[in-house]
């Protein structure tokens, strides 16, 4: 199967039109006519995951985060992006990214299911009936401290940051993967008791608490690495004739 055919099937499920306007998704490196026999999935196209993809013998690397956001003015070995591009091109490795289009059509659902939320609605609509994040209800109630432990366990991450009264009762939950402090206002408007997201700075968090909503920062990686296993399962179903490999999952930080 050639790369263009793989892309067509991917985009039937996760259409690039769902990506936000600032995003950079699709085939970022490689030839559309490249024959694809092995696909490798990762969250990011780091030097480590590219090496793992090549070790696997991959013809196509699919990541969630695009390696290229800003215009690339030079491609040389003195620059870390340049080194990765050179490695991919020399190896004839195609590289495809699905970012906010997957957030809209996949990640939000993954987060909702991971936390066991019910009666869900879109947190911020970005397309007809679709959008970023979810707001839903827990089965029953628990206090914020208990809920923080649930988030840590459900996402299988080393720790979380909790902002708010540990004894506050939590029932209605907003969740937005990745860097979601911009979703706090929407979560408040939709009546959430807490928002679960990542990359929340101190001032944004305490301001949220002052407005009546607690914050659980589970980290950018912690709320999104589920993409890797999910994509493997989906790709194996979509392309049973192709071999699918995945990056080794490890958190980019250590609790010390």
């Amino acid at each position: 199967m050639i790369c263009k055919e793989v892309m067509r099937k991917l985009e039937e499920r996760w259409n690039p039109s769902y990506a936000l306007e600032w995003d950079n998704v699709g085939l970022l490196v490689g030839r559309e006519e490249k024959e694809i026999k092995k696909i490798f999935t990762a969250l990011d196209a780091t030097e480590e995951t590219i090496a793992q993809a090549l070790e696997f013998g991959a013809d196509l690397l699919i990541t969630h985060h695009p390696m290229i956001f800003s215009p690339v003015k030079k491609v040389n070995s003195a620059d870390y992006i340049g080194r990765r591009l050179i490695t991919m091109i020399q190896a004839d490795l195609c590289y495809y990214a699905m970012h906010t289009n997957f957030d809209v059509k996949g990640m939000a659902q993954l987060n909702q299911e991971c936390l066991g939320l019910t009666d869900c609605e879109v947190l911020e609509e970005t397309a007809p009936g679709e959008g970023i994040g979810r707001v839903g209800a827990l089965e029953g109630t628990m206090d914020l401290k208990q809920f923080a432990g649930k988030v840590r366990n459900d996402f299988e991450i080393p720790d979380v940051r909790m902002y708010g009264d540990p004894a506050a009762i939590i029932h209605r939950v907003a969740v937005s993967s990745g860097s979601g402090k911009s979703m706090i206002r929407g979560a408040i408007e939709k009546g959430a008791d807490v928002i679960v997201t990542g990359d929340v700075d101190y001032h944004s968090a305490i301001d949220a608490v002052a407005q009546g909503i607690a914050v659980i920062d589970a980290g950018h990686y912690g709320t999104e690495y589920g993409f890797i296993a999910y994509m493997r399962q989906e790709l194996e179903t979509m392309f049973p004739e192709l071999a699918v490999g995945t990056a080794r999952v490890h958190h980019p930080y250590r609790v010390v």
Side-chain angles (χ1 to χ4, degrees):
M1 180 177 292
I2 64 171
C3 184
K4 188 174 184 178
E5 293 172 340
V6 175
M7 290 167 52
R8 178 179 58 79
K9 289 191 175 183
L10 291 175
E11 292 172 3
E12 287 174 358
R13 289 280 307 277
W14 303 284
N15 196 301
S17 66
Y18 284 106
L20 303 186
E21 61 180 13
W22 50 262
D23 205 0
N24 189 31
V25 300
L27 186 66
L28 304 188
V29 177
R31 302 180 294 115
E32 288 188 349
E33 68 275 13
K34 164 79 175 179
E35 182 70 22
I36 305 298
K37 295 181 180 179
K38 292 185 176 183
I39 302 176
F40 194 82
T41 66
L43 194 65
D44 299 279
T46 64
E47 292 186 18
E48 180 182 6
T49 55
I50 293 169
Q52 290 175 22
L54 296 178
E55 181 183 358
F56 178 69
D59 306 296
L60 172 63
L61 170 63
I62 297 176
T63 70
H64 180 47
H65 298 132
M67 184 180 73
I68 303 170
F69 269 115
S70 303
V72 177
K73 296 182 178 181
K74 296 180 180 179
V75 178
N76 60 56
S77 61
D79 174 71
Y80 71 101
I81 296 293
R83 287 194 299 272
R84 297 176 196 178
L85 291 172
I86 290 168
T87 298
M88 290 181 184
I89 292 168
Q90 286 181 331
D92 196 18
L93 176 66
C94 293
Y95 169 48
Y96 188 94
M98 51 173 70
H99 190 209
T100 51
N101 54 323
F102 182 82
D103 285 338
V104 168
K105 296 293 288 184
M107 194 73 80
Q109 184 74 17
L110 285 180
N111 289 163
Q112 165 192 326
E113 292 173 357
C114 185
L115 294 173
L117 303 182
T118 61
D119 301 322
C120 290
E121 61 180 301
V122 171
L123 176 54
E124 181 177 293
E125 189 169 309
T126 58
E130 301 285 356
I132 302 293
R134 292 289 187 271
V135 182
L138 292 173
E139 293 185 4
T141 60
M142 60 181 69
D143 64 36
L144 180 61
K145 185 175 180 179
Q146 291 171 323
F147 180 68
K150 171 181 169 58
V151 173
R152 184 187 63 235
N153 293 335
D154 289 351
F155 282 113
E156 298 181 2
I157 53 179
D159 68 328
V160 299
R161 291 184 179 183
M162 178 183 77
Y163 298 87
D165 179 359
I169 299 302
I170 302 299
H171 176 63
R172 188 161 169 80
V173 176
V175 58
S176 181
S177 66
S179 183
K181 70 178 183 180
S182 63
M183 300 294 161
I184 290 173
R185 168 52 54 191
I188 293 170
E189 291 173 353
K190 290 186 180 292
D193 303 308
V194 63
I195 182 169
V196 180
T197 188
D199 296 347
V200 181
D201 65 89
Y202 169 78
H203 290 289
S204 295
I206 63 171
D207 288 349
V209 172
Q211 296 174 81
I213 187 170
V215 175
I216 301 293
D217 189 331
H220 200 124
Y221 185 89
T223 56
E224 292 193 333
Y225 79 94
F227 168 88
I228 301 171
Y230 175 83
M231 281 307 301
R232 177 173 191 159
Q233 181 178 345
E234 294 303 300
L235 291 170
E236 287 176 338
T237 300
M238 295 170 69
F239 308 105
E241 70 276 30
L242 304 180
V244 180
T246 59
R248 293 185 284 274
V249 174
H250 64 84
H251 293 273
Y253 67 90
R254 299 289 184 269
V255 178
V256 295

